[in-house]
Amino acid sequence: MSAEQSATAGQTESADSADLAQFGYKQELKRQLGLGSVWAVAFSYISPSTGIFTLFALGLTTLGGVFIWTWPVVALGQFIVALNFAEVSSHYPVAGSVFQWTKYLANRSYSWFTGWIYLFAGIITVAAVVATLPLALIPALNGLGWHSLNAASLHTQLVVALITLVVITVLNIYGVRLVAIINNTGVVFEILGMFVFALVLLAFHNHQGIKVVTNSGGVPVTGSTFLAAMFMSLFVIYGFDTASTLAEETRDPRRAAPKAVLYAVIGAFIIGGVFLLGTLVAIPAHLGVKGAMAANGGLGLGPAQIIDANFSHGFATLYLLVVSAAIFVCCLSIMAATIRLCFGMSRDNTLPFSKVLSKVFPSLHTPVWTCIVIAVLSAVPFLKYAGVPIIAIAATGMIYLSYFLGNMVILRARARGWPKTKAPFRLGRWGMLVNILALIYGGAMLINFAWPRVASNPEPVQTGGLLTFGIDFLNHIPILWTVAIGIVLIGAIYYFVAGRRKEFAPIIAPAGDDAPLVTETGSAKDG
């Protein structure tokens, strides 16, 4: 970097730090991320390879090749949500995304519960993605000669997942710059592993033909089956707001964060869609779609089995290693985002042990204790480990709930005239329509998640003995209901016993921006 470029970068960083100071926060996290890096982190959070490896078989067994049509439907819905979030992130470029936005646009209790739900959604998502890595890594290690590892063994998956959790915790402790370097490299692997290899499948291993996208394997294509088949796509395309969560470590975040939010959804849609199509057409000819749905004892073929059936031993192993690298950086990104959310809430004195959790170690520029606490909480789902799809059910439903709560507050703010000032990214007169569409889509998907069904929200007794809570009545309640209600109840007990009595940080906005729609004590302003 030339002296002139260094001076320009220094001026930009000083301006960004001064902008942050207007919100009442000092620059403690290190600003090292440009648009490319923050986009890469948001894209890695979405990580098409992770979600597809997790739940491809679920989509396939639910609706055959027709389930690919859920991909553009979900991508469009999430892009509408992303448009809404992009405008808000341009106004409030501080760590915490949904929590911060509701803090400025709603009352104290509402923002606290939204942040609490989003925090635990992130924690459960960390657990889900570290549990996904073994699905690609163990077959890859088998290919390298490590045959003692059984990919189907939940115990083996658990051990690999816990090791992964420790490694990504250490890497996050050592700073966002290290995470960004690894992440940027991982995005290259993701593009190679998802896009280039998918093109190879389409060109040289097309056994089913394009007609596979209309082959449901004999399952009736109805609204009910389509909604159930959406679960894989819904699990993949979220986390784009990570670009906003990392705003305090991003240069020129008011412009960079909104672009990264939108580009992440677009990139994931294109790359993931090509990979899905390539994987479907590569289903072995002797099986066909119906045979692939019935394979693995009715669990269906996953991407790893389809890859192994089409490539030579060495090439299949290489492919799985590339995908494993992509999933690993997804783990890194999701933990980084969850840590920043926990830090942002603790800095405002809203969480238990906030003073400890908000401490940034000067030498590392990271909140070390927050990293450790997030890791420990992410390990809790493994106490009752029943496979990654069970964790994914709770993670996805909780994320969409927090997004819905955020969109409700933004709509209320728009009805009261927000935004009155212009940010670098703005929707203008389209803002209200986009917001309403985001709420309609989000509400419909919440109903879809919560609907009791074996495929996407089973009762523990419907998991074939994989999961039991040890309490009979809980074993007859859909998993998402138990997790969501449990997290909200624990939060409510803490908040009403101790949390609401704490002195939260003042709610301040820059002089040139819209004033907060709440007072410093957190009560809503009139009109």
Side-chain angles (χ1 to χ4, degrees), residues 129-146:
V129 294
V130 298
T132 298
L133 182 60
L135 303 183
L137 182 59
I138 294 175
L141 294 176
N142 290 160
L144 293 174
W146 204 336

Side-chain angles (χ1 to χ4, degrees), residues 46 51 55 70-71 73-75 77-78 226-240 392 395-397 399-400 403 441-442 444-446 448-449 453 456:
I46 297 174
L55 295 172
T70 67
W71 187 254
V73 172
V74 172
Q78 291 297 76
F226 191 85
L227 287 169
M230 290 179 78
F231 191 67
M232 187 216 74
S233 301
L234 291 166
F235 178 64
V236 177
I237 309 178
Y238 68 76
F240 39 83
T396 314
I399 287 284
Y400 279 73
Y403 280 7
Y441 164 78
M445 291 306 101
L446 275 179
N448 188 21
F449 283 126
R453 62 167 76 95
S456 60

Side-chain angles (χ1 to χ4, degrees), residues 207-444:
H207 306 303
Q208 301 299 324
I210 195 66
K211 67 182 184 297
V212 72
V213 302
T214 62
N215 187 343
S216 67
V219 177
V221 181
T222 65
S224 177
T225 55
F226 191 85
L227 287 169
M230 290 179 78
F231 191 67
M232 187 216 74
S233 301
L234 291 166
F235 178 64
V236 177
I237 309 178
Y238 68 76
F240 39 83
D241 58 301
T242 301
S244 304
T245 297
L246 295 174
E248 292 182 32
E249 293 151 282
T250 303
R251 294 187 290 273
D252 195 13
R254 288 182 183 265
R255 290 178 174 80
K259 291 178 182 177
V261 166
L262 299 176
Y263 294 166
V265 177
I266 294 169
F269 167 66
I270 294 171
I271 293 171
V274 173
F275 180 73
L276 277 174
L277 181 59
T279 305
L280 284 172
V281 302
I283 290 173
H286 70 280
L287 286 177
V289 171
K290 197 166 185 177
M293 294 167 70
N296 291 335
L299 297 176
L301 284 185
Q305 290 81 37
I306 294 173
I307 291 165
D308 192 55
N310 281 280
F311 293 121
S312 66
H313 177 76
F315 205 58
T317 300
L318 175 62
Y319 194 169
L320 290 169
L321 286 171
V322 169
V323 173
S324 297
I327 296 173
F328 179 78
V329 298
C330 174
C331 299
L332 267 180
S333 300
I334 292 175
M335 176 168 257
T338 307
I339 288 167
R340 269 64 188 176
L341 172 60
C342 185
F343 167 77
M345 293 185 70
S346 300
R347 184 176 55 184
D348 283 358
N349 195 34
T350 63
L351 293 177
F353 311 109
S354 286
K355 186 174 182 180
V356 174
L357 293 175
S358 62
K359 178 177 173 57
V360 175
F361 282 57
S363 59
L364 297 170
H365 296 282
T366 53
V368 174
W369 287 113
T370 302
C371 297
I372 294 171
V373 168
I374 293 299
V376 171
L377 292 174
S378 298
V380 170
F382 295 116
L383 296 175
K384 288 283 187 179
Y385 184 58
V388 62
I390 301 296
I391 304 175
I393 289 167
T396 314
M398 295 290 289
I399 287 284
Y400 279 73
L401 174 58
S402 57
Y403 280 7
F404 184 80
L405 293 173
N407 277 315
M408 282 184 63
V409 164
I410 298 169
L411 181 66
R412 175 175 174 269
R414 290 188 191 281
R416 299 168 72 186
W418 183 91
K420 295 182 175 67
T421 58
K422 292 182 178 180
F425 181 88
R426 54 189 178 273
L427 295 173
R429 60 191 178 93
W430 294 101
M432 184 65 79
L433 176 61
V434 167
N435 205 150
I436 292 171
L437 291 175
L439 272 174
I440 293 171
Y441 164 78

